[in-house]
Amino acid sequence: MLLWVVALAGITVGSQAVGSAYHNDNSLPGTQSQQLADRMPAKTTDSLQVVAQGDLTRLPALLDEIRALPHVTSVGKPTTSGTTAYAEITLDGQHLPADDIKRIIATTSGDLKVAYSGDVVLAAENPAGGPEEGIGILAALVILVLMFGSILAAGLPVITAIFAVGSTVGAIVLVSHVIDIPSYAPPVMMLVGLGVGVDYALLIFARYRSELVSGRDRDVAASRALDTAGRS
């Protein structure tokens, strides 16, 4: 347990210090669509959209405030329809720090209703990990308690999964600086890691219990469960 704590803490601190360098490569070599994409200029910047509704006399001041923020290279001329306006915000790069994106989308102006959209907004507001994983872990813990009949026994596979998944998330962040890793790798890994951690605990337990029902003693039942369900 001490080694797990040290490993998790070290990897987490290191990954937060250096940050991620994810790269989404959606190319399909050899296809006609890729040949067409290769002829088009490469995208080097990101953008997001701002929508404002209400007293549009406040809009110029809002856009000026956005224009002065870091990484904002330009703010397009707003398109208006009644009391609603829309404008495109161009940034000076890709995969910018989430804190800088959050600073942009936190910009408001009095009673003017303001909303932001775009992939960079979604990425900044929904980083890897969050309440969804927590709800999943809680649901898994309830199922394990019902199956095992013991909070202590149910907590062991959950704790193991949390340590393993937590340290792997940090490792993915670090490795992203060495090889190309897509931004969706951490949430996919979380789903697989938590799923395997819980599912295999239930699988091994079910085999162990079936051996007990067949008349085996606990040592033999545990050995057979690990040699069959565990190794599978």
Side-chain angles (χ1 to χ4, degrees):
M1 287 295 295
L2 181 60
L3 291 176
W4 269 115
V5 171
V6 172
L8 178 60
I11 293 176
T12 300
V13 171
S15 63
Q16 290 182 347
V18 302
S20 63
Y22 298 126
H23 175 67
N24 296 324
D25 184 2
N26 299 315
S27 62
L28 296 172
T31 62
Q32 291 181 338
S33 60
Q34 185 60 47
Q35 293 173 3
L36 178 62
D38 291 339
R39 299 174 186 174
M40 302 176 64
K43 181 182 178 183
T44 59
T45 62
D46 274 328
S47 63
L48 63 151
Q49 299 76 42
V50 57
V51 179
Q53 186 179 49
D55 183 7
L56 297 184
T57 60
R58 297 176 177 269
L59 183 60
L62 172 68
L63 298 183
D64 287 340
E65 186 176 351
I66 295 174
R67 196 175 287 111
L69 293 175
H71 301 296
V72 176
T73 58
S74 65
V75 178
K77 183 178 179 181
T79 301
T80 60
S81 175
T83 59
T84 302
Y86 162 93
E88 186 86 6
I89 302 171
T90 303
L91 306 177
D92 62 4
Q94 292 181 295
H95 313 298
L96 298 174
D99 289 341
D100 291 333
I101 302 299
K102 290 179 180 179
R103 185 176 176 183
I104 296 174
I105 62 182
T107 307
T108 58
S109 179
D111 296 333
L112 192 64
K113 294 182 179 179
V114 181
Y116 296 85
S117 65
D119 292 339
V120 294
V121 176
L122 292 175
E125 291 182 334
N126 300 282
E132 295 84 0
E133 285 76 12
I135 294 173
I137 292 174
L138 180 61
L141 184 61
V142 171
I143 295 172
L144 290 170
V145 169
L146 293 176
M147 289 291 295
F148 290 5
S150 165
I151 295 179
L152 178 61
L156 289 176
V158 173
I159 292 173
T160 302
I162 291 175
F163 273 106
V165 169
S167 57
T168 305
V169 168
I172 289 176
V173 171
L174 296 175
V175 174
S176 69
H177 291 271
V178 182
I179 61 176
D180 286 345
I181 295 181
S183 59
Y184 54 80
V188 171
M189 186 282 305
M190 288 181 187
L191 291 174
V192 175
L194 293 175
V196 169
V198 174
D199 290 347
Y200 271 77
L202 290 174
L203 181 63
I204 296 172
F205 175 75
R207 182 57 189 266
Y208 172 75
R209 188 167 60 179
S210 68
E211 292 294 328
L212 291 180
V213 172
S214 299
R216 309 286 192 272
D217 61 41
R218 293 184 178 182
D219 289 340
V220 173
S223 178
R224 291 197 175 188
L226 294 175
D227 285 340
T228 54
R231 294 179 186 273
S232 68

